[in-house]
Amino acid sequence: MSALSELMKLRSSCPPDDHELEITGSDPVLETRFRLAETASAAIASVGVAVNDLWELKTGQRQSIAIDARAATAALCSNKYLQRQNENGGFDEFIDPNHEANRALTGIYQTKDGRWVLPHFGLDNLRERMLGLLQADADKQSIIKAVAKWDALDLESAMDEAQVCGGMVRTNNEWMAEAHGQILDAKPVVEIIKIGDSAPEPMPEGPRPLSGIRALDLTRILAGPITARTLAEHGADVLMVTAPHLPQVPPYVGDTSHGKRSCFLDLRKENEKQALLNLVKRSDVFSQGYRPDKLRRLGFGPDTLASLRPGLIYVSISCFGEGGPFSHRAGWEQIAQIMTGIAAEGIQITPEYKPRTLPVAANDYITGYLGAYGVLLALARRASEGGSYHVRVSLCQTAMMIYRQGKIANLPDNLSLSVDEIARLSQQSTCHLGHIRHLAPVLQLSETAPRWTLPTPKLGSDNPAWL
């Protein structure tokens, strides 16, 4: 089943007419055998169809939808194309040297038993804990020697116990033999679970599909911010909630925050917790990507907030999803790839073969679009039948959907997106970073063109209040 067909089955209505949706282009676009362009196009197209459903509820009319598969592929690494204008009028890539140093350490290393593992060093706190576990220096040769002292599954278990991010590379067959893989395989790639009753809420009036919708964004790096950024593209008031002590990657924040506002609330402080609860009472969407159960322990679990605000759409974004033996683990893009068979590309791992990760953060970005798709479907259900809903998406479920699309047998040479092509897909704006150039929204709608009405904000620059 194609990704688009799989996603359309989650809607309660018939598939869109052929004349409503047009996707141009196909794989391959990048140097990978996986069908990333077509899967990304399906996710973004699904957002367009769900937006159309809400527009029809508001106006009785539908729009035409268009997706360029090459633009959808570029969107899978949009942070790479965020640039700042220099003093000469040109544009330079926005790079965080500290994060680049951490990324350089993250990789696939061979273990004593001939298997492969990926320890993740994405943030300073994770790097220090991982280096402490490995008893290694912040140097690849030191890490190679340290990892080679472990058997792969023993190291994965130690990483789990130390609450750092990493795991053993598996083939897809190995992943599907795991209890966790089987549990996720039995679930839809986007879970929409009714968690409470409430009266139907018609979509608010306004000129855009999500005018009047208020969304709280408590996410970081990268899937969760894309969910909220997508809602902002269609007119939602998105308030990003973070705190000064939480680690961030500035280029990622700059690229994934277009259209949002940003405030600081430290949930370790009772008065600031109460301020967030007050925001929840007047919100429509609460999106979070904290470690599993972290917010529940702080009093911000889905059932608690649905009782406080009947009709709330609560979004949980994680690496491993919920309900299986790995659900308590945190993770990143690369972890989902190595666990599900994407990095191994379905080839049996041997000492002569080194698995590789994808050239883009496909799981992060596609999961972000799928989170937005779930919110849109839940808003449509709330409008017609009422209720509070829990939307759940995960990087591993997305990776499994990518794997289900099959692989390309033979790749041509020199696959890439050109500089000129990226320039055509980009727009410019002015914000606290200066004058910047970044990718424009990929989705095209005939009547309500997706756009961001606010530039990417400086973190904490807004009051914790709704417009």
Side-chain angles (χ1 to χ4, degrees):
M1 181 187 302
S2 72
L4 183 60
S5 297
E6 182 176 339
L7 294 172
M8 286 298 98
K9 287 181 65 176
L10 302 176
R11 292 170 66 237
S12 58
S13 54
C14 297
D17 294 337
D18 291 341
H19 70 273
E20 181 176 311
L21 172 61
E22 180 184 20
I23 299 176
T24 55
S26 61
D27 284 294
V29 176
L30 301 176
E31 291 186 6
T32 173
R33 297 169 63 206
F34 288 98
R35 301 180 185 278
L36 301 186
E38 292 162 28
T39 311
S41 297
I44 298 172
S46 297
V47 168
V49 172
V51 166
N52 231 359
D53 293 342
L54 296 178
W55 187 242
E56 185 176 25
L57 286 176
K58 294 180 71 163
T59 68
Q61 304 295 318
R62 295 188 74 83
Q63 313 180 53
S64 60
I65 305 166
I67 303 288
D68 176 354
R70 295 184 69 83
T73 307
L76 300 182
C77 55
S78 64
N79 67 85
K80 176 182 176 181
Y81 304 120
L82 175 66
Q83 297 179 313
R84 296 195 291 184
Q85 192 170 46
N86 59 38
E87 59 185 13
N88 299 318
F91 287 89
D92 299 322
E93 187 177 350
F94 183 19
I95 293 175
D96 176 15
N98 188 59
H99 181 63
E100 291 302 312
N102 289 338
R103 283 185 60 188
L105 298 178
T106 299
I108 296 175
Y109 297 85
Q110 195 163 31
T111 53
K112 182 172 64 176
D113 57 353
R115 297 295 300 251
W116 301 88
V117 298
L118 187 146
H120 206 289
F121 301 88
L123 296 171
D124 289 352
N125 60 324
L126 296 179
R127 179 196 65 207
E128 293 309 311
R129 287 180 6 223
M130 182 65 78
L131 291 175
L133 170 65
L134 295 174
Q135 294 295 292
D137 298 325
D139 170 83
K140 294 206 77 165
Q141 290 303 315
S142 179
I143 296 168
I144 288 171
K145 293 177 182 177
V147 170
K149 298 176 183 178
W150 291 80
D151 285 341
L153 279 177
D154 290 342
L155 182 51
E156 179 176 290
S157 297
M159 290 176 180
D160 180 16
E161 185 175 349
Q163 293 190 332
V164 292
C165 296
M168 183 182 78
V169 176
R170 290 160 169 80
T171 65
N172 186 256
N173 285 339
E174 289 174 327
W175 172 249
M176 297 307 295
E178 295 270 7
H180 197 91
Q182 293 169 15
I183 288 170
L184 293 190
D185 191 48
K187 298 181 177 185
V189 69
V190 182
E191 298 179 81
I192 305 172
I193 303 161
K194 189 173 183 179
I195 58 173
D197 294 320
S198 66
E201 295 186 38
M203 290 298 295
E205 295 182 0
R208 305 185 66 195
L210 296 185
S211 294
I213 295 297
R214 293 167 167 166
L216 290 165
D217 176 18
L218 280 75
T219 67
R220 295 174 290 148
I221 315 170
L222 286 162
I226 292 300
T227 290
R229 191 187 74 178
T230 302
L231 301 179
E233 284 181 21
H234 301 284
D237 178 13
V238 176
L239 183 58
M240 181 168 43
V241 180
T242 186
H245 69 279
L246 294 176
Q248 301 276 5
V249 179
Y252 292 174
V253 176
D255 181 64
T256 61
S257 302
H258 309 306
K260 304 177 187 180
R261 298 181 298 119
S262 173
C263 71
F264 284 150
L265 289 174
D266 188 341
L267 301 187
R268 299 172 301 182
K269 301 176 180 178
E270 286 302 319
N271 63 323
E272 299 192 26
K273 282 177 63 177
Q274 187 57 52
L276 181 56
L277 290 171
N278 291 338
L279 287 169
V280 171
K281 293 175 184 177
R282 299 180 60 211
S283 66
D284 300 284
V285 179
F286 183 95
S287 179
Q288 65 88 20
Y290 278 73
R291 278 182 176 269
D293 283 335
K294 176 68 178 291
L295 283 191
R296 192 186 301 273
R297 293 194 298 270
L298 289 171
F300 292 90
D303 295 333
T304 300
L305 295 193
S307 297
L308 179 67
R309 196 301 195 197
L312 183 70
I313 313 300
Y314 189 105
V315 187
S316 293
I317 300 165
S318 64
C319 180
F320 286 96
E322 298 193 29
F326 298 156
S327 292
H328 64 282
R329 299 184 184 182
W332 295 60
E333 164 75 32
Q334 298 93 333
I335 308 303
Q337 292 188 36
I338 63 154
M339 297 294 287
T340 61
I342 294 289
E345 299 208 21
I347 300 171
Q348 182 62 44
I349 300 168
T350 69
E352 292 76 33
Y353 170 75
K354 182 173 181 179
R356 61 178 182 179
T357 53
L358 297 172
V360 290
N363 297 312
D364 264 327
Y365 283 94
I366 294 175
T367 299
Y369 290 118
L370 294 182
Y373 179 51
V375 169
L376 298 168
L377 295 182
L379 286 172
R381 286 184 60 179
R382 187 183 76 170
S384 61
E385 63 186 73
S388 302
Y389 297 90
H390 191 183
V391 174
R392 303 196 305 209
V393 291
S394 72
L395 304 184
C396 283
Q397 284 173 297
T398 296
M400 292 166 71
M401 183 177 74
I402 292 172
Y403 199 95
R404 286 194 290 271
Q405 305 315 301
K407 297 188 288 293
I408 300 162
N410 298 300
L411 294 177
D413 295 330
N414 302 318
L415 289 167
S416 67
L417 292 158
S418 70
V419 172
D420 290 342
E421 193 170 8
I422 295 301
R424 289 195 298 271
L425 298 173
S426 296
Q427 67 179 74
Q428 298 182 27
S429 60
T430 301
C431 64
H432 70 286
L433 298 171
H435 196 64
I436 62 174
R437 183 164 65 184
H438 53 88
L439 290 185
V442 172
L443 181 65
Q444 298 178 54
L445 297 173
S446 59
E447 305 301 322
T448 61
R451 57 188 172 87
W452 300 299
T453 58
L454 297 173
T456 189
K458 182 179 180 180
L459 290 178
S461 59
D462 295 282
N463 292 323
W466 293 116
L467 293 175

